[in-house]
Amino acid sequence: MKQRICLTNLLILTSITLANTNEVVIAGNEKKETLEESVNNQRSEYNNNVDELPENTFPVSEKIKTIPLPPVGQRWIVNDMFTDDFNSGELDKSKWINPHPTWKGRAPGLFEKERVSFKDGCMVLEGIKMKSPKIINGTEFNVSCAAVVSKEEKAHYGYYECRFKANKTTLSSTFWLSNRGEKFPTKGNQPEGSAPGMYKQELDICECIGRTGDFNGNFFYKGMNSNVHYWFTPEGENVQKDIRAKETRLYREDGGVPSDDFNVYGCWWKDKSSATFYLNNTQSGSVEFYNRNTNEPFYFTEPMGVNMVVETYPYPWIDLPDDEELADETKNKTYYDWVRAYKLIDINKEAEESHNKVFGNKINITNKVSRIFTNKENKYSTELIYTADYDCNAVLVIYDKDKKEICRDSKRLFAGYAGFNFEYSIQYEKDKLYYIVAYLLPKNETDINKAYQTDSYVLKTL
């Protein structure tokens, strides 16, 4: 059976910016606050004399830990086109192509269909030594590798993440977005004044290897390596230039390597000018799309395809894997647990129900302040975040100190992940105790005893 990751030990990240690289050092085993926890902790600064408050016997939910909170007024929904848990035991041909349709592989590694399999709820990409080399278009290949890519090239602004465990060789384990065959004219798509020509895009979310070694590309095993490539062919020329933004690298101080365990590698492609990378749901670094050598901006305006690839990284980056490790089935396989994609829509807009239930049905109150001043307008608000695999209802109930209900309101919510303000009117009495309780219920359900989840806190008025 597939094991699910429990993200309880998140990592503290410290940014070190170099000339052409955004480098982040990870201090192992220290807990990194999620954005939701940070919000709660900031709110709790106003809590004082908490020993005067009674024990809260209403349920209190665990903090939601998932992808970053969306902007106010928007919500994340699952993009099924690029989401797969690989539990079917075979490749979903409506979504994926095996091997890469336009790229044979980086010599001496050749992408071959036979190197993709399924085991324990994972898609397995492996590399092995060929019994005899193959010559293709004058190039010799002697390592059989794997590449699974999306059928569609419609991945645009949104969040993309993949959970995988790297192989234990010097073969790569990767997750990235790119254009395949088509190139796009710079005119109308790039900053005013940019050189005319054609361009392609490549957004490398994670390129890594799973074992150490004495080679130039040692950063590939030290954590997570991310790149942004702008492939530019000037007008009237045939040579394609690789223009890069600053690299983003995560270095692990604990000495761990990507093959030690499964990790979640994510990227929020925010707009045409920027992206932010995440390791295990913790922000690792952001990058603005500027030529790292000239500081001139470029844009990512076109949709791309999604790629999961195991390939060779020949010298001068990394040593090629030796025959022994390529023959070892405990070392030569990368396990892809799942891949997920999300897109932003209006928080109040209906959407087609996703076939992939990845969020769970959860609710958090994020402004748990134990003391508030009453106001003459009798208007208050409670900040909530929620995740839901189905359309549902949020119900907010205010109880007095004797747990008698004195106020109730509800709000319809749509499947996805979002935060919102629940505004309500109530005539609070000064110097009194109240219980604030939020319930997440199935759509059209009114019985709070049938809630998916409940969160609450105790409040005293001043």
Side-chain angles (χ1 to χ4, degrees):
M1 295 296 291
K2 181 185 295 185
Q3 293 183 348
R4 296 299 180 189
I5 192 168
C6 180
L7 300 176
T8 55
N9 292 320
L10 298 181
L11 306 169
I12 289 287
L13 306 178
T14 305
S15 295
I16 304 175
T17 304
L18 303 180
N20 291 326
T21 307
N22 297 323
E23 295 187 348
V24 178
V25 178
I26 304 174
N29 300 322
E30 294 187 64
K31 188 175 187 299
K32 169 69 178 179
E33 286 184 343
T34 65
L35 182 56
E36 295 83 2
E37 289 171 326
S38 177
V39 169
N40 284 348
N41 288 336
Q42 291 173 27
R43 297 291 182 184
S44 67
E45 291 178 3
Y46 297 99
N47 295 355
N48 49 57
N49 298 324
V50 293
D51 55 316
E52 297 179 9
L53 299 178
E55 179 184 0
N56 179 19
T57 56
F58 286 98
V60 177
S61 63
E62 292 185 354
K63 301 299 183 295
I64 292 173
K65 297 185 178 75
T66 183
I67 64 176
L69 271 171
V72 174
Q74 294 183 290
R75 80 179 192 278
W76 290 115
I77 62 171
V78 177
N79 185 345
D80 285 325
M81 186 179 296
F82 308 105
T83 298
D84 201 332
D85 62 12
F86 305 125
N87 280 336
S88 67
E90 61 182 6
L91 197 66
D92 185 344
K93 294 182 180 179
S94 70
K95 295 183 179 182
W96 309 109
I97 301 172
N98 172 31
H100 199 291
T102 60
W103 180 32
K104 296 296 183 183
R106 190 193 312 273
L110 176 68
F111 299 140
E112 297 191 300
K113 183 177 181 179
E114 296 76 17
R115 300 285 75 79
V116 178
S117 60
F118 292 83
K119 182 179 180 181
D120 297 333
C122 291
M123 181 176 69
V124 184
L125 273 57
E126 68 176 353
I128 66 170
K129 188 68 176 287
M130 294 179 181
K131 292 182 179 179
S132 58
K134 296 182 180 180
I135 308 297
I136 300 177
N137 297 328
T139 301
E140 181 175 308
F141 297 88
N142 58 24
V143 180
S144 181
C145 297
V148 173
V149 303
S150 63
K151 186 175 181 179
E152 301 289 348
E153 293 184 87
K154 297 180 180 179
H156 208 234
Y157 306 141
Y159 195 90
Y160 299 87
E161 62 176 351
C162 185
R163 182 175 187 253
F164 67 83
K165 182 179 181 181
N167 65 77
K168 297 179 182 293
T169 78
T170 56
L171 293 176
S172 72
S173 297
T174 67
F175 172 57
W176 44 291
L177 310 181
S178 69
N179 306 121
R180 290 202 279 265
E182 187 176 3
K183 295 182 179 180
F184 307 94
T186 57
K187 186 176 181 181
N189 293 326
Q190 296 303 316
E192 186 176 352
S194 6
M198 304 293 287
Y199 72 96
K200 294 168 62 176
Q201 307 161 157
E202 181 178 330
L203 180 57
D204 298 325
I205 298 173
C206 179
E207 299 175 301
C208 67
I209 64 170
R211 80 156 169 86
T212 61
D214 184 17
F215 32 72
N216 292 333
N218 57 16
F219 52 84
F220 283 106
Y221 68 71
K222 290 185 175 181
M224 176 181 174
N225 185 66
S226 306
N227 281 295
V228 178
H229 299 261
Y230 176 72
W231 300 100
F232 174 60
T233 304
E235 189 174 68
E237 298 183 20
N238 294 320
V239 178
Q240 183 173 255
K241 298 182 178 180
D242 179 4
I243 297 172
R244 302 190 184 198
K246 290 182 178 180
E247 295 164 330
T248 301
R249 294 173 181 165
L250 282 75
Y251 291 162
R252 294 175 55 155
E253 286 189 343
D254 61 4
V257 294
S259 61
D260 287 343
D261 205 346
F262 285 90
N263 292 285
V264 179
Y265 303 96
C267 176
W268 185 350
W269 179 16
K270 293 186 174 180
D271 50 40
K272 65 182 181 181
S273 299
S274 65
T276 301
F277 300 99
Y278 296 79
L279 174 61
N280 294 332
N281 301 110
T282 300
Q283 182 173 327
S284 62
S286 296
V287 60
E288 301 289 331
F289 299 161
Y290 285 85
N291 184 328
R292 65 183 186 179
N293 295 320
T294 66
N295 211 34
E296 294 178 348
F298 57 84
Y299 294 155
F300 269 31
T301 60
E302 307 304 320
M304 295 184 277
V306 174
N307 311 282
M308 291 163 283
V309 175
V310 168
E311 60 177 306
T312 51
Y313 280 170
Y315 180 86
W317 284 350
I318 301 169
D319 295 335
L320 291 173
D322 58 45
D323 293 356
E324 183 179 352
E325 61 188 355
L326 286 176
D328 190 337
E329 293 190 354
T330 67
K331 294 182 179 180
N332 67 359
K333 302 178 189 300
T334 296
Y335 292 85
Y336 288 86
D337 186 8
W338 47 253
V339 59
R340 294 172 183 169
Y342 311 84
K343 53 188 176 183
L344 288 169
I345 66 171
D346 187 277
I347 191 173
N348 295 315
K349 182 179 179 181
E350 289 191 70
E352 184 177 345
E353 183 178 318
S354 170
H355 300 294
N356 297 275
K357 311 303 181 185
V358 303
F359 284 122
N361 303 303
K362 304 172 185 177
I363 193 164
N364 286 169
I365 302 172
T366 61
N367 61 336
K368 294 183 177 180
V369 182
S370 63
R371 301 289 191 275
I372 65 166
F373 288 96
T374 58
N375 62 66
K376 294 180 180 180
E377 292 79 16
N378 296 323
K379 293 187 180 297
Y380 303 88
S381 66
T382 293
E383 296 173 7
L384 299 170
I385 60 174
Y386 77 96
T387 60
D389 289 324
Y390 307 92
D391 293 349
C392 53
N393 286 328
V395 176
L396 189 72
V397 182
I398 315 297
Y399 300 89
D400 66 14
K401 66 180 181 64
D402 298 318
K403 298 185 178 179
K404 177 183 177 182
E405 182 179 320
I406 59 172
C407 178
R408 176 187 292 225
D409 204 350
S410 64
K411 179 178 176 61
R412 184 182 181 186
L413 302 175
F414 295 104
Y417 173 39
F420 64 97
N421 255 358
F422 206 131
E423 298 181 348
Y424 60 96
S425 296
I426 185 174
Q427 188 171 349
Y428 280 129
E429 296 183 46
K430 290 186 178 181
D431 199 29
K432 298 290 185 181
L433 291 170
Y434 297 91
Y435 296 89
I436 316 298
V437 187
Y439 302 89
L440 188 68
L441 279 73
K443 183 176 67 173
N444 301 324
E445 181 60 65
T446 59
D447 185 353
I448 58 177
N449 294 309
K450 297 181 179 179
Y452 291 124
Q453 193 179 63
T454 303
D455 199 16
S456 64
Y457 70 103
V458 185
L459 172 69
K460 188 173 183 180
T461 56
L462 299 173

